[in-house]
Amino acid sequence: MWNPAQSLAERRAAGLERRQRTLEPVDGIHARVDGRELLVFCSNDYLGLAADPRLQKAFAAEADLSGVGSGASHFVSGHRPVHDALAERLAAWLHRDRVLLFATGYMANLGVIDALVGRGDRVHQDRLNHASLLDGARLSGARLSRYPHLDMTQLDARLQRNPGARQLIASDGVFSMDGDVAPVAAMAQLAARYGAALMVDDAHGIGVLGRTGGGVLQEADLGQDAVPLLVGTLGKAAGTFGAFVAGPADWIAMLQQQARTQIYTTASPPALAAATLAAIDIIEQDDGRRQHLQDLIKRFRLGAGQLGLRLLTSRTAIQPVLVGDAAEAVAASAELERRGILVSAIRPPTVPVASARLRVTLSALHEDRHVDQLLDALGDIPALRRADEAASAGGAS
Ligand SMILES: *Cc1c(COP(=O)(O)O)cnc(C)c1O
């Protein structure tokens, strides 16, 4: 029978109960938590735009003009000129024909995969893909095949096994809990060879990677012919909220007709679209933010390597420190908090068993001294140092 208390108790006993913290933002990188001001290293606001006055102004101006709620779904009466402006702006920026807006990235992935495939089709996904991609496959009823992380030989073999079937490859662009980058060029080649559709969810690459922040596909110079479906989220580097899928006009027109998570939900507040438009101007033009972020990433990796911390192969703003044991990760997070730094511990099932970690994320608003402060604190936690090679500088790539 139903026993929610027991489920909770089991989760707690396994050390996997999640705890929600309440943050009162102080500035882009500091927040008050339980009455104390902490330096935050666990936000996805990689470019520091969430509290940018230009976004706030654009948001407020549109809210003054058109109110807060859109009042209905896009197909009924919720679609506004600023939604069109945002879709066109995104398409131009990312060099795609057309863009369809979604309320969130989670809904974009559910809606796109469910619209593209169904019973009898196959979806190939990296084992470390975001939950929303996996859930999209489950919702669609297609057969889900999860290949080992980044393993293109396995993906090739699996695609080859299903000649004649409609196949979709879906991958994170930058992996959300590891920070590494998918081999998108190789994926595009495989997709072309087997006639599979390819979808890249670049939630963590958009804004951060690429010459004008176009993400992993811009960096790899892959247009919509190579990768027809690009999903992006706006709640991370863009500093606002929402998501989109970008691609060739016919694909997007088809998705607009069939993506149920877009059709049967209220259109986002128009003010959000206005704020996102302001964010895109900054993302596109202010390469200095990306440069500074890259400098911080290098500084962090160098220092962490010298301390013997276990880093992953990441050149993005996501720089996890591996711990392994879930309870130890939680304890390390608590210790950092005592020292004035907020970093969350990520545990199974979000990450594979025995790979609990501190998911450190950097922001363009951090300064060198903030990174040094973080390194000092991390270096004082013995459980974070590699057991084997106490302090082999630079060995952790
Ligand atoms: C955060 C994230 C999402 C979900 O986006 P939301 O807009 O927060 O719902 C989807 N995919 C990946 C890879 C993500 O990291």
Side-chain angles (χ1 to χ4, degrees), residues 135-308:
D135 290 354
R138 294 203 303 194
L139 177 67
S140 75
R143 277 281 283 279
L144 172 62
S145 146
R146 299 172 74 190
Y147 56 88
H149 187 46
L150 310 178
D151 190 337
M152 292 297 101
T153 308
Q154 272 289 327
L155 175 58
D156 190 341
R158 289 164 192 227
L159 285 162
Q160 202 170 358
R161 231 174 274 154
N162 300 285
R166 289 208 317 168
Q167 306 195 71
L168 169 67
I169 306 167
S171 177
D172 284 21
V174 171
F175 288 88
S176 57
M177 295 300 135
D178 290 58
D180 52 355
V181 174
V184 282
M187 297 175 80
Q189 278 178 4
L190 288 175
R193 184 179 315 154
Y194 295 104
L198 174 58
M199 159 182 188
V200 171
D201 168 6
D202 204 15
H204 301 275
I206 297 273
V208 173
L209 300 176
R211 199 176 40 81
T212 63
V216 297
L217 300 183
Q218 182 181 59
E219 200 182 54
D221 200 19
L222 295 171
Q224 63 181 23
D225 295 337
V227 182
L229 299 161
L230 166 59
V231 169
T233 61
L234 303 168
K236 287 158 184 161
T240 61
F241 189 82
F244 62 88
V245 58
D250 50 353
W251 286 80
I252 302 303
M254 182 273 276
L255 289 173
Q256 186 177 25
Q257 296 299 317
Q258 295 186 27
R260 295 165 61 88
T261 59
Q262 208 272 348
I263 297 166
Y264 298 107
T265 199
T266 302
S268 297
L272 269 173
T276 305
L277 278 166
I280 296 169
D281 287 345
I282 301 169
I283 292 173
E284 205 177 34
Q285 288 151 27
D286 189 356
D287 196 42
R289 279 176 195 257
R290 271 184 291 282
Q291 289 303 328
H292 177 58
L293 184 56
Q294 283 303 325
D295 291 344
L296 295 173
I297 292 166
K298 289 198 187 85
R299 189 180 190 88
F300 177 75
R301 289 188 67 84
L302 184 68
Q306 286 165 351
L307 290 168

Side-chain angles (χ1 to χ4, degrees), residues 366-388:
H366 287 128
E367 296 167 17
D368 288 355
R369 65 193 166 91
H370 297 126
V371 170
D372 295 346
Q373 195 180 328
L374 171 65
L375 287 166
D376 281 346
L378 289 169
D380 284 346
I381 304 176
L384 298 182
R385 288 167 182 263
R386 273 182 293 196
D388 42 326

Side-chain angles (χ1 to χ4, degrees), residues 7-8 10-21 131 177 330 344-351:
S7 311
L8 269 172
E10 282 168 9
R11 210 173 174 96
R12 188 169 306 153
L16 299 179
E17 188 182 32
R18 293 185 169 104
R19 176 171 168 222
Q20 176 174 282
R21 313 302 302 274
M177 295 300 135
V330 173
S344 46
I346 307 286
R347 295 163 287 169
T350 305
V351 293

